[in-house]
């Protein structure tokens, strides 16, 4: 029955029925308390519900079962980052990358967190690592553009936003930031089109 409750939780997550997903994961964990994947997915449901502290507990329980569960380290980093615990988030992302060096999402999220900490050169390096692993990663191109923009490297930021939009043409935030950069560069007609 544990797998049935777990799979039902996953189905509810896919449907966006988060309360039902939480209930199903709880049922799975009542049967098998050391089910790391159920703890992880329960944490993901709590993140979507805005219950960040509860997600931390779930991720920590998953890691107590499997300390090398790479996705949990990334998810824990995401929750910590959202809670403003940036140094702890950086440590979680580093752990994920140590376990799986080609984890593009962890490199990208590390870069975003480093940018929030004001470590812009390290942030740019992290985004470049994400893009070396996954060149079609629109969010990494966008986040690289943001870090470059902070350093007033406008032409490079412009190119990063354009790459993000080539991959994901409906990326509203990239259109907005590209338009602002083009205005700063004095390319008003291009900015209006963006």
């Amino acid at each position: 029955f544990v797998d049935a409750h777990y799979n039902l939780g996953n189905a509810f997550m896919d449907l966006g029925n988060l309360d039902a997903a939480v209930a199903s994961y709880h049922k799975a964990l009542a049967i098998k308390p050391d089910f790391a994947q159920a703890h992880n997915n329960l944490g993901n449901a709590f993140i979507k519900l805005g219950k960040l502290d509860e997600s931390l507990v779930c991720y920590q329980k998953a890691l107590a079962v499997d300390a090398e569960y790479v996705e949990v380290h990334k998810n824990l980093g995401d929750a910590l980052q959202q809670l403003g615990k940036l140094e702890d988030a950086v440590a979680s992302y580093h752990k994920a990358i140590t376990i799986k060096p080609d984890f593009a999402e962890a490199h990208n999220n590390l870069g975003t967190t480093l940018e929030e900490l004001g470590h812009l050169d390290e942030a740019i390096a992290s985004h470049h690592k994400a893009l070396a692993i996954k060149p079609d990663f629109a969010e990494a191109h966008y986040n690289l553009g943001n870090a470059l923009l902070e350093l007033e490297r406008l032409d490079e930021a412009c190119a990063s936003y354009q790459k993000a939009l080539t991959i994901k043409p409906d990326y509203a935030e990239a259109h907005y930031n590209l338009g602002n950069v083009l205005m700063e560069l004095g390319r008003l007609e291009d900015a209006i089109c963006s």
Side-chain angles (χ1 to χ4, degrees):
F1 288 115
V2 68
D3 287 337
H5 290 297
Y6 174 73
N7 291 333
L8 189 57
N10 291 341
F12 283 132
M13 281 284 283
D14 290 342
L15 293 170
N17 189 342
L18 300 177
D19 292 326
V22 167
S24 293
Y25 293 134
H26 277 301
K27 287 176 185 174
L29 290 165
I31 297 166
K32 186 178 177 185
D34 64 345
F35 194 174
Q37 292 90 346
H39 284 294
N40 178 61
N41 289 7
L42 179 58
N44 293 343
F46 281 137
I47 288 255
K48 290 182 178 186
L49 287 166
K51 298 180 178 182
L52 298 174
D53 289 324
E54 291 175 61
S55 74
L56 293 180
V57 173
C58 295
Y59 296 141
Q60 289 161 345
K61 286 181 180 179
L63 291 172
V65 174
D66 181 359
E68 299 296 303
Y69 194 164
V70 67
E71 289 82 8
V72 177
H73 285 288
K74 197 273 298 173
N75 293 341
L76 178 60
D78 293 347
L80 290 164
Q81 190 263 350
Q82 289 181 48
L83 285 165
K85 299 179 179 183
L86 302 180
E87 296 291 348
D88 293 334
V90 166
S92 290
Y93 295 134
H94 277 301
K95 181 66 176 172
I97 291 165
T98 299
I99 297 167
K100 184 178 176 185
D102 65 345
F103 196 172
E105 290 79 6
H107 283 288
N108 180 58
N109 294 5
L110 172 62
T112 302
T113 306
L114 289 168
E115 181 184 351
E116 283 189 62
L117 287 166
H119 305 298
L120 298 175
D121 290 330
E122 292 174 64
I124 289 167
S126 290
H127 294 308
H128 279 300
K129 287 178 187 171
L131 291 166
I133 296 162
K134 189 175 174 183
D136 63 343
F137 193 176
E139 289 76 14
H141 284 290
Y142 171 77
N143 291 328
L144 174 60
N146 291 342
L148 291 164
L149 181 58
E150 291 251 351
L151 289 172
E152 298 183 15
R153 293 166 53 183
L154 301 181
D155 288 323
E156 293 171 84
C158 183
S160 291
Y161 295 136
Q162 288 171 331
K163 285 179 187 172
L165 289 166
T166 298
I167 297 162
K168 187 176 174 184
D170 61 344
Y171 200 157
E173 295 89 347
H175 277 289
Y176 179 79
N177 286 7
L178 176 59
N180 286 336
V181 169
L182 290 169
M183 280 183 31
E184 283 191 51
L185 289 169
R187 295 170 50 191
L188 298 181
E189 295 217 4
D190 292 334
I192 291 169
C193 292
S194 181

